[in-house]
Amino acid sequence: MGKDVIVACDFATKDMVFDFLNLFKEEKPFVKIGMELFYAEGPEIVREIKKRGHKIFLDLKLHDIPNTVKKSMSVLRNLDVDMTNLHASGTIPMMEAALEGLTREDGTRPILIAVTQLTSTSEEVMKSDLLINEPIDKVVMHYAENAKKAGLDGVVCSPLEAEKVHNVCGNNFITVTPGVRFADGDKGDQVRVMTPEQAKKIGSDYIVVGRPITAANDPVAAYRRCVAEFVD
Ligand code: C5P
């Protein structure tokens, strides 16, 4: 399995994202395109970044009835992205429908991963707002197991959960972990963080890194530092 650093390109416009990507002369980072950029610029932004030779994680977190998700995934598969995602809380039938929609006629498909509980949801809020009374850790592992049962490739999770997800779902089940910070860096609004080196040690398969690279004085050097700590 290819360990890689995915750069979260959380920019509002196409010009901003290209100004950023133009800094990279030698590497072609794996990039994450989220809702903000996708809704602002539409599917063309995906095609353009792909044309420049980058791998793409399209982070749209689908969650709807199975038929709608299946049809939407069959549109996304034609964008030729390398990875995309959905909410595990959409249930196993929704995840199975998503896989069906995502699979191309020749049997190939992008990697499909599930969001378990968002890291912005605390156990307290999960109880009060969602009426889920189990410990959050148990809920996250249960959702990961559901994703595996549905045939998905892995989950997005906190780096602190990655090791346990591998214990529960096996080492081939992919963990994609945001919340990564350099040891000497600013944590920003992330609370539970790990360095790229620690994320490597606990077995994350992909780390998603945004501001420590995009807001760095030298983004290329910051990207190289991530790769050196996590991949090499
Ligand atoms: O800038 P930063 O490194 O915090 O960016 C992390 C990226 O990962 C952002 O795009 C954020 O939306 C995403 N993410 C996250 N926590 C999750 C899921 C996604 O930080 N649980």
Side-chain angles (χ1 to χ4, degrees), residues 24-184:
F24 292 84
K25 310 286 182 212
E26 289 168 32
E27 297 96 340
K28 291 280 180 197
F30 198 136
V31 305
K32 179 170 92 70
I33 300 174
M35 291 185 219
E36 183 186 11
L37 189 61
F38 190 79
Y39 292 151
E41 300 288 352
E44 199 48 35
I45 190 72
V46 176
R47 294 190 190 99
E48 284 187 40
I49 295 176
K50 190 79 197 175
K51 221 184 287 167
R52 288 171 166 235
H54 297 270
K55 284 189 172 175
I56 296 176
F57 168 20
L58 188 57
D59 179 16
L60 299 181
K61 301 188 180 69
L62 275 69
H63 188 174
D64 207 318
I65 60 170
N67 187 52
T68 302
V69 169
K70 179 177 164 180
K71 288 184 170 167
S72 307
M73 285 294 188
S74 64
V75 174
L76 296 185
R77 80 180 191 205
N78 292 329
L79 284 179
D80 201 21
V81 296
D82 299 276
M83 184 185 287
T84 191
N85 62 357
L86 46 64
H87 275 281
S89 55
T91 75
I92 293 175
M94 189 202 82
M95 291 192 270
E96 288 172 342
L99 263 188
E100 230 179 280
L102 202 59
T103 306
R104 304 181 187 101
E105 275 170 16
D106 63 2
T108 62
R109 61 167 176 79
I111 292 173
L112 182 59
I113 56 174
V115 175
T116 56
Q117 278 293 343
L118 291 169
T119 45
S120 51
T121 307
S122 66
E123 187 164 297
E124 202 177 28
V125 168
M126 196 184 67
K127 285 194 169 115
S128 63
D129 288 17
L130 306 179
L131 289 184
I132 299 173
N133 282 309
E134 302 287 349
I136 195 157
D137 187 49
K138 189 172 169 191
V139 176
V140 167
M141 295 310 146
H142 182 65
Y143 283 15
E145 284 182 286
N146 284 353
K148 190 174 179 194
K149 273 186 204 154
L152 269 67
D153 304 296
V155 288
V156 185
C157 62
S158 145
L160 297 134
E161 292 159 354
E163 197 167 13
K164 193 155 181 201
V165 168
H166 281 143
N167 291 340
V168 171
C169 297
N171 280 335
N172 289 333
F173 196 66
I174 296 171
T175 53
V176 179
T177 62
V180 174
R181 291 293 179 265
F182 292 121
D184 52 4

Side-chain angles (χ1 to χ4, degrees), residues 191-202:
V191 181
R192 301 190 305 144
V193 299
M194 266 194 191
T195 66
E197 201 175 5
Q198 288 166 330
K200 178 184 183 175
K201 276 199 193 116
I202 53 93

